[in-house]
Every structure is written in structure tokens, then in C-alpha cells.
Amino acid sequence: MKKIVFVAAMFALVSACSKDDSIVDLPTTPTEKPDAGSDEKESATIPPTTEDLKAYFKITTDQTAAQATQFIATTTGKQTVNGKVVDVTKSNVLTRNDEEGKLTVMIEGTISGKAFSKEYSFEELVKKPGSYHMASRAQIKWKSPFSNAPEATPIAFDELYRLNNTDKFTAQYLSQWAEFYSSTPDGNNSYTYTDEDIAKTQLSDVKYSDGKISFILTYNGVKGNASTKERPALSFDKNEYYKRKVTLNTENIKQFYMQGVYENLESFYGNAIRIEDSGTFIAELVPDSKHFDRNSNAISCQLSMSTYQNSNDELARFEYRFEGFKPLSDLKEEWLLATTIDLNEYMKKRLGNVSDGNVLTEINKLPIAYWIKMAQMAVRRNDSLLKLYVGKGEQNNTEVEAWMPESRRVIHSDILLLAPYFEVVSARKSGNRLYLQVAMTNVNEVSLTDVVAPLEVIL
């Protein structure tokens, strides 16, 4: 009973104190307000995060642990990443697990001027397949600078294809232009061979067939696929490779007109090309393969390449284009006309009694296609004049008149004027002289302008 009375008395006392206005809270010591920028300063000086260092080293999830290691080993100095100035001065790879795609690295340096030293883990990198899958799932492809034209690389293809010599075709040799890669069984992870992997790789049964260089790959002692369909292979066009051994002799080509070269291509083409290693290789014109393009003033044909030692064994066949010929407009500097006794007599009978002055109307009444054949026509070639005569040629499967050199030398046979069309643009008579300006306006189905030759006729 006494305990109950004591407890009640205590409650009463507490209640009375809470209502007493003379009891107040004691003042507390005021605290400083936090600096608004202190959080930013602190975050900029704490050790950099893993994400900061991934950005610093440019490490991404499509890299292998070996590739990431290379970036870490070669990257130092100040960089601003995620708003922080990071300066890595030392890095040491503690562990590297290629199969798991993981790295642990001790990294030292400064962040915003404050030193740090910490161990970091880089994970979720490309996982390296085991040795079995490195070999059995191995593939190869041209590196991007060479993928569009692998035939332009200095690869020793002729040694492989023609001489059956595979000595140079090692993994290290091919890795100059191509990259080896493999994948895990699920196919989700593509793994590119490193230099360390290349050193563990051997190639055997290297051969070329069906437009591919293929081989059997052995990795770290594990032999890969041997079947033609599954073994690693690089696409390669042998025709394009051998075509690159032939270059156009542009200095030679530009001296000649296209039409006559086309008609006599069998005799011309050898002087119009240069062949790399001409002591070994020969290129021959494939019969009935030539055609021309008047719009581009060019000739295309097929060439067959073989060797002097075995000319019956064709190495390659490819389309080749001869271009850069003299344009027919050059005739304005080279085409010449001169009178003859027959032409003098012809004009004297028809215009001998005509009054002096402009006689263009009278001249145009005379069929130029007839009397122009009486004139002496020539083409200036270097320091010589090549006289032309009227013969027969073919144009669009039709026989037409053609002016061609009297010279029988092949080097002059490029001059071939098929079905030329002429006009007299001015005609003046003075005494017993007839002064004409004759234009060639169309030849070889090409329209011409300003190709004009003077012709003086004695009446």
C-alpha cells in the first residue's frame, strides 16, 4: 500500500513541474551551417570509382581482359572524367582471368590533386573461350582497312597459289592484315585473338579454292575443324589479285586514237600495258572479248594471265579497260587537206568562169562527199605527215567509207576515220585560186566542232 501511495505522489510531482512556467529549456550551442559545395569537393577528391577509371582507360564491355590490360598499361596522365581530374601515375595488374573476363588492378595516382591508392576490379569483359572452343570455333576476317580490297595487300598469294609454297602462311603472318576470333558455345561472346593467342596458334593445310584461302587451325595444341565448310577461311579473288599486276601505260595510250586501236587491239594491247615481273607473267587478249564505249572513249576486253613457263595453264582471267586515248577533237590540230590535179580540174570546170568573191552558194551545189575524195588528206603525227586514203570499214555491222593511213605500220593504224561528214564553211574565189575552209563535223559517230582545215584549189 505504501508503494502505491509513493508512485502516485511521484506522478503528481511530475505533472506539477510540467505546468510550471519558471522551468525553461537551456539554450544549446549553435552549430555552423554546412558549406553547400563541400559535398562536391569531397566527391571530387575521394578515390575515383570503378566507372571513373573505366572512362579514364576507355575500357568497355566489348573488350577482352587482355585488351583492357593493354589500355591500362599504356594510359597515364591527366584526364577529366565525370567532372573529376584524374591522373594515374602507376598501375599494376594483380590478377587476370581471361575465361571469366575479369581484372584486378592496383592503381595509384591523384584525383583533383589528392593522392589515392586502391585496388579495383574490372568485370563483365568479353570471356575467352576455352582452348577447345578457341580452336573448334575459330574464324578469321580481314581487318577493316583491307576488307574492301584484300587483293591489294602484299600477301604472298602467288607463292601459295602458283608455287604451292605455304611457308609464309603462319598465324603471325596473316595477322598483319586479318584478325582471328572465336566465341563461346552459346555464340554470345565474340573473342578476338590477342598477340599471346597468335603465338599459340599454328596453321596447316593452307590452300586456295573457290575464292577462299583456308586452313586448319590448331590452338594451344588443340586441333580445329578440318572440313572445307567449317575451317577458317578468308575471301580472296585471284583474278583481281593477278589483274593488279597489270598497269596501263598511260603515256603510250594518250598518243593514239581509240577507234583504230580497237580495230587492231591484238597488235596494240601489248604496248599499252606493263606487267609486274614481266619475265614471269604474260597477259594475252581473249578472242572476241573486246568492246568499246564511245561516250568514255575507252576499250574493254578480257585478258588471260599465265606464265612463260606454262602458257597453257591460265592463272587468271579478268576484264581490263584501256582508257585515256586521244580525243577526236585533237584533229583540229592535226587534220590537213591539200589539193590534187584531179581536184583542180574538177573545180576549174565548174567554177573557173565564176566571178571572184564569195562562192559558197556555188560550192554547196557540188556534192562534197564526191569531190573530197579527190583531195589529199593527212594527219600530222609528231614531225611527220601521214597521208590517208579512202578505204572500207565497218560501223554498226554496216560497211562504210573509211579514211586510213597509207602507212602499213601498226603504230599508225590507230588513225581510222569511219563515215566522216564534211561541210564547206567558207569559199572565196580570187583569180585562179579557190580558198575553202572545210569542216569535219562528224566521224566515228562523234560530233565535232571547230575541226576545220584550209584547202586551196588552183583553177
Side-chain angles (χ1 to χ4, degrees):
M1 183 66 180
K2 290 181 179 179
K3 290 181 180 179
I4 295 173
V5 173
F6 176 75
V7 171
M10 289 296 296
F11 271 113
L13 178 61
V14 170
S15 175
C17 290
S18 65
K19 295 177 182 178
D20 190 345
D21 292 337
S22 64
I23 299 177
V24 296
D25 292 333
L26 294 175
T28 59
T29 303
T31 58
E32 295 182 4
K33 289 185 178 181
D35 184 354
S38 63
D39 289 343
E40 291 183 19
K41 291 178 181 178
E42 185 176 354
S43 65
T45 56
I46 61 174
T49 65
T50 301
E51 294 304 316
D52 292 336
L53 290 175
K54 281 183 179 180
Y56 179 89
F57 292 116
K58 296 179 176 57
I59 295 174
T60 59
T61 55
D62 61 352
Q63 297 167 359
T64 63
Q67 289 171 325
T69 298
Q70 184 66 23
F71 281 114
I72 291 170
T74 57
T75 306
T76 57
K78 288 184 180 181
Q79 291 187 44
T80 300
V81 292
N82 301 329
K84 310 166 187 178
V85 179
V86 178
D87 184 2
V88 172
T89 57
K90 184 178 180 181
S91 57
N92 182 31
V93 176
L94 303 177
T95 63
R96 181 178 121 192
N97 190 321
D98 292 326
E99 287 73 18
E100 293 297 323
K102 295 180 180 179
L103 282 175
T104 57
V105 188
M106 177 61 72
I107 299 175
E108 299 178 13
T110 62
I111 178 168
S112 299
K114 184 176 181 180
F116 72 91
S117 178
K118 185 179 176 181
E119 183 179 310
Y120 290 86
S121 294
F122 300 100
E123 301 182 359
E124 297 182 358
L125 300 169
V126 174
K127 297 178 180 179
K128 178 180 177 179
S131 293
Y132 172 77
H133 292 114
M134 284 285 284
S136 63
R137 299 180 67 85
Q139 297 294 328
I140 187 171
K141 64 181 179 180
W142 294 108
K143 292 178 180 178
S144 57
F146 315 110
S147 58
N148 290 332
E151 299 80 13
T153 63
I155 191 170
F157 177 76
D158 184 58
E159 293 184 30
L160 170 67
Y161 181 66
R162 181 173 62 90
L163 303 178
N164 296 315
N165 185 345
T166 63
D167 292 348
K168 288 185 178 179
F169 284 78
T170 64
Q172 185 174 12
Y173 177 75
L174 285 179
S175 67
Q176 297 176 82
W177 310 286
E179 65 180 34
F180 294 81
Y181 63 99
S182 186
S183 62
T184 50
D186 58 13
N188 291 332
N189 296 308
S190 179
Y191 174 87
T192 302
Y193 279 43
T194 64
D195 290 342
E196 296 173 9
D197 296 321
I198 295 295
K200 298 177 182 179
T201 302
Q202 291 80 43
L203 308 183
S204 58
D205 192 31
V206 183
K207 61 184 180 181
Y208 177 82
S209 63
D210 299 325
K212 294 179 180 179
I213 301 171
S214 67
F215 45 82
I216 297 173
L217 182 146
T218 299
Y219 177 80
N220 201 24
V222 179
K223 191 173 184 179
N225 294 309
S227 69
T228 302
K229 290 184 178 180
E230 295 181 335
R231 55 200 246 155
L234 283 168
S235 60
F236 197 88
D237 187 339
K238 71 179 181 70
N239 294 321
E240 180 63 26
Y241 170 82
Y242 284 107
K243 179 179 180 179
R244 288 177 176 273
K245 291 184 176 295
V246 182
T247 56
L248 196 63
N249 187 341
T250 54
E251 289 302 311
N252 190 317
I253 285 287
K254 69 181 184 181
Q255 300 178 46
F256 302 109
Y257 292 106
M258 183 271 289
Q259 188 68 53
V261 172
Y262 171 77
E263 297 292 344
N264 300 279
L265 189 59
E266 294 80 0
S267 301
F268 262 100
Y269 82 93
N271 292 321
I273 58 176
R274 298 187 183 97
I275 301 177
E276 180 185 327
D277 196 1
S278 57
T280 300
F281 300 104
I282 55 174
E284 297 180 290
L285 178 65
V286 176
D288 302 321
S289 68
K290 64 181 182 180
H291 52 279
F292 62 80
D293 182 351
R294 292 201 191 282
N295 292 329
S296 58
N297 200 32
I299 301 170
S300 295
C301 67
Q302 287 189 349
L303 296 180
S304 173
M305 180 168 280
S306 58
T307 63
Y308 285 102
Q309 293 79 6
N310 193 353
S311 59
N312 293 324
D313 186 10
E314 183 180 78
L315 293 172
R317 181 176 293 201
F318 44 83
E319 191 83 3
Y320 203 78
R321 183 176 174 88
F322 296 87
E323 55 190 356
F325 292 100
K326 285 171 65 70
L328 286 168
S329 58
D330 278 10
L331 286 170
K332 68 178 64 176
E333 305 295 335
E334 300 178 354
W335 179 51
L336 301 170
L337 287 174
T339 192
T340 63
I341 294 175
D342 290 343
L343 182 58
N344 290 343
E345 291 297 322
Y346 176 84
M347 291 296 183
K348 181 177 181 180
K349 289 179 181 180
R350 288 153 182 82
L351 299 175
N353 296 324
V354 174
S355 301
D356 288 357
N358 188 344
V359 292
L360 183 60
T361 301
E362 289 78 2
I363 281 289
N364 282 337
K365 293 177 182 179
L366 305 177
I368 190 172
Y370 173 76
W371 63 257
I372 195 70
K373 296 175 191 176
M374 300 180 194
Q376 176 61 65
M377 192 178 297
V379 169
R380 183 182 291 110
R381 174 64 53 87
N382 299 326
D383 295 327
S384 303
L385 290 180
L386 300 177
K387 294 182 178 180
L388 308 184
Y389 74 97
V390 182
K392 296 294 181 183
E394 187 175 286
Q395 186 169 276
N396 298 325
N397 299 318
T398 302
E399 187 177 79
V400 296
E401 287 186 346
W403 290 78
M404 57 193 73
E406 293 180 357
S407 168
R408 296 293 89 192
R409 296 184 62 190
V410 171
I411 198 171
H412 297 149
S413 62
D414 65 297
I415 303 169
L416 180 62
L417 307 179
L418 296 174
Y421 187 82
F422 304 99
E423 291 182 6
V424 177
V425 294
S426 72
R428 181 174 59 84
K429 181 175 179 293
S430 178
N432 67 338
R433 292 289 189 273
L434 181 63
Y435 300 97
L436 307 177
Q437 293 287 324
V438 181
M440 187 189 306
T441 58
N442 190 288
V443 68
N444 299 348
E445 297 186 298
V446 175
S447 296
L448 302 175
T449 56
D450 301 326
V451 178
V452 179
L455 175 62
E456 181 180 344
V457 180
I458 301 174
L459 303 177

